[in-house]
Every structure is written in structure tokens, then in C-alpha cells.
Amino acid sequence: MVEYLEEQFQGMYEYLSNGERVEEFLLLSHQAMIILEVEEEFAKIIQNSMDIEEIDEPLIMRIGVRHWNEIQLHYKIIENT
């Protein structure tokens, strides 16, 4: 999961940075990448979500939630059943 999140962050850095170094780059609070670890957090997010998208990673779900004109990304590990 860490490798996938690093790739996601790198994509946001390339799209949103204004020439600053990656060590200096910060996402605004509504652009933050959020990892959902508690099932109640997940349930609350999907009630208001714009889009739920399963990705190619077998155990990760990416959820996009609209905040103003931006989409904030939330990630959840899908437990094996």
C-alpha cells in the first residue's frame, strides 16, 4: 500500500507543485490523502461520496469526495474475507 500511496502522491506533486522541491511540497487540507482505518470513518465518508472506485491494487479502495471544486482522496485497505 505504501508504494501505491507514494505513486499517488507523486502524481499530485507533478500536477500541483509550482516548482518547489518535493521535500517542500504541501497539500492543502482539502487535497490531503486520507487513509481510513476505522470502519465507522469509512461508512461516514461513503454516505457523502461523489465516487467510489476500486483500483487495480487488489486490496485498496480509493474514494473521491468533492470539497468545493476539488476531489479529496481517501484510501481504505479492503480486508480479506
Side-chain angles (χ1 to χ4, degrees):
M1 180 172 181
V2 172
E3 185 176 301
Y4 172 76
L5 292 174
E6 286 176 354
E7 290 174 11
Q8 292 288 295
F9 178 82
Q10 185 64 33
M12 293 180 81
Y13 168 71
E14 290 173 7
Y15 182 73
L16 297 170
S17 70
N18 291 317
E20 67 265 47
R21 298 177 344 159
V22 70
E23 297 85 4
E24 299 168 345
F25 177 70
L26 296 173
L27 292 168
L28 299 175
S29 61
H30 64 276
Q31 297 170 325
M33 299 169 63
I34 299 172
I35 299 171
L36 303 171
E37 297 181 298
V38 178
E39 201 60 38
E40 290 80 17
E41 294 173 330
F42 175 68
K44 184 177 178 180
I45 291 297
I46 63 171
Q47 287 177 350
N48 300 315
S49 68
M50 180 186 122
D51 185 37
I52 297 175
E53 170 187 355
E54 287 189 46
I55 57 172
D56 292 336
E57 299 294 321
L59 300 177
I60 300 173
M61 180 181 289
R62 182 173 64 186
I63 305 159
V65 179
R66 181 172 295 281
H67 288 278
W68 302 287
N69 292 328
E70 301 283 336
I71 302 294
Q72 184 175 41
L73 296 176
H74 295 70
Y75 301 88
K76 179 173 182 353
I77 297 174
I78 300 171
E79 296 181 24
N80 292 333
T81 55

